[in-house]
Amino acid sequence: MTSILVLNGPNLGRLGSREPDVYGSGTLEDLGVALEETLAPGFEMDLRQTNDEATLIGWLHEAVDTQSPVILNPAAFTHYSYALRDAAALVTKAGLLLVEVHLSNPHAREEFRHTSVISAIATGVIAGFGFDSYLLALDLIQRRLG
Ligand code: DQA
């Protein structure tokens, strides 16, 4: 069984009520249901969210230790957290897939969102498709590892 970590950064626990015009009206629980429905045989996923940078870094270390592929929405940490980037680099340098995802398209938004300190060390990036960004990432990981 391959376990996929689906890690979400700050404020994503507020999905549903947070700027629904930007992020949609679905909650994190709704996202979990959609991901579960997309799981192929032999795969399981673990959806987590934290507002805390240290916790997110710890989960990336866990991905390395358990050899788990990662879907990561770093939220605002995307734009400035070198500590998170270094932890994410441990994942890809270990040969594990790490897909950076965003619900919105940060490049179509404010200038500060145009920079991702994560993208250069991610395996790839999917942004701008709402929940489908995650579902596409899950599908891709399952196709690569299945
Ligand atoms: C986000 C985009 C980030 O700029 C923002 O800080 C978020 C969510 C997205 O999924 O579109 O919190 O990562």
Side-chain angles (χ1 to χ4, degrees):
M1 185 69 78
T2 302
S3 190
I4 303 167
L5 284 175
V6 185
L7 306 180
N8 294 279
N11 302 308
L12 292 169
R14 294 279 165 160
L15 283 180
S17 59
R18 175 192 180 200
E19 300 183 73
D21 50 318
V22 177
Y23 299 115
S25 55
T27 64
L28 201 65
E29 288 70 31
D30 296 333
L31 173 61
V33 170
L35 287 165
E36 287 285 352
E37 285 171 355
T38 309
L39 280 176
F43 291 89
E44 60 186 12
M45 69 97 199
D46 188 355
L47 177 70
R48 305 180 189 176
Q49 189 275 328
T50 181
N51 297 324
D52 178 50
E53 189 178 22
T55 301
L56 204 48
I57 289 167
W59 288 343
L60 290 170
H61 293 174
E62 181 187 327
V64 174
D65 294 342
T66 58
Q67 295 282 289
S68 302
V70 175
I71 298 172
L72 174 65
N73 186 343
F77 292 145
T78 305
H79 312 301
Y80 66 90
S81 175
Y82 297 119
L84 192 66
R85 175 199 166 104
D86 285 351
L90 290 175
V91 175
T92 50
K93 293 245 191 277
L96 298 162
L97 292 169
L98 182 145
V99 185
E100 176 187 345
V101 297
H102 299 281
L103 295 153
S104 67
N105 175 1
H107 297 284
R109 301 178 63 197
E110 301 97 318
E111 186 89 31
F112 76 90
R113 297 187 203 277
H114 298 182
T115 298
S116 168
V117 301
I118 309 294
S119 296
I121 55 78
T123 312
V125 183
I126 303 173
F129 299 103
F131 283 180
D132 279 343
S133 294
Y134 290 75
L135 298 175
L136 288 165
L138 180 60
D139 187 49
L140 179 121
I141 289 171
Q142 291 181 146
R143 279 200 283 124
R144 286 279 170 103
L145 302 181

